[in-house]
Amino acid sequence: MPPQYALGVHLVLLDSAGVRAELEADTALALPELGQTWFRGAVRVRFYRDGAAVGDLVADSARIDERGGIMAAFGRVLARSYLQERRLETTELFWDQRRREYFSPAAVRIVTPTEVVEGTGFQASQDLRSYRIENVRGRRQ
């Protein structure tokens, strides 16, 4: 199949329990032969659990690998957990749709109401409740 291009994209990711996530982007380019879809310009993903929004992710661009179930976000990336009141900032973030986990080899910064933690290399639950940062440095607020 040839590449497919779309403007004003709104995707809904579903599983047997309902809506898992919603993705909005200015443009999308689907590359069926590679099993990938690229998104550009104001990419925003909202995550849901039991029908309620629990967090979001904003990035300059993103790519979904349909074969592996991994979304990669690039540029200025900001992920938030509404319930945990945590914010994650980085330049490269991966989201495993099946495991509902984030990971990144890049420098990351997590801001909570009580601390700021920075490091390089990161793995976390999608709700940012639990996370592991390598090469840690941080401070209490």
Side-chain angles (χ1 to χ4, degrees):
M1 279 186 81
Q4 302 162 15
Y5 184 77
L7 299 172
V9 178
H10 183 166
L11 290 174
V12 178
L13 303 173
L14 302 167
D15 65 12
S16 60
V19 176
R20 180 177 285 206
E22 286 183 277
L23 183 146
E24 296 175 350
D26 292 343
T27 61
L29 175 64
L31 304 168
E33 70 281 1
L34 299 176
Q36 295 179 351
T37 303
W38 285 84
F39 302 92
R40 302 233 189 267
V43 177
R44 180 181 175 122
V45 182
R46 277 182 297 283
F47 299 103
Y48 294 87
R49 183 183 305 138
D50 300 325
V54 295
D56 62 23
L57 181 148
V58 179
D60 295 330
S61 66
R63 176 191 72 229
I64 293 179
D65 178 349
E66 284 101 17
R67 295 175 184 155
I70 303 290
M71 183 184 86
F74 306 102
R76 186 177 187 288
V77 181
L78 173 66
R80 294 182 304 165
S81 169
Y82 304 152
L83 302 173
Q84 301 303 317
E85 296 182 31
R86 293 184 176 153
R87 184 176 78 234
L88 165 67
E89 301 167 4
T90 187
T91 58
E92 182 180 36
L93 184 65
F94 297 88
W95 175 55
D96 185 322
Q97 297 175 41
R98 292 181 185 103
R99 296 175 62 183
R100 295 185 184 203
E101 290 182 346
Y102 290 123
F103 59 95
S104 178
V108 297
R109 175 184 174 125
I110 292 187
V111 179
T112 74
T114 59
E115 63 187 3
V116 175
V117 181
E118 297 175 335
T120 304
F122 169 80
Q123 184 176 0
S125 59
Q126 176 180 299
D127 62 6
L128 299 176
R129 178 174 293 168
S130 62
Y131 56 88
R132 182 177 53 106
I133 298 176
E134 299 173 17
N135 303 311
V136 177
R137 57 196 178 277
R139 65 180 185 276
R140 292 227 178 252
Q141 301 209 88

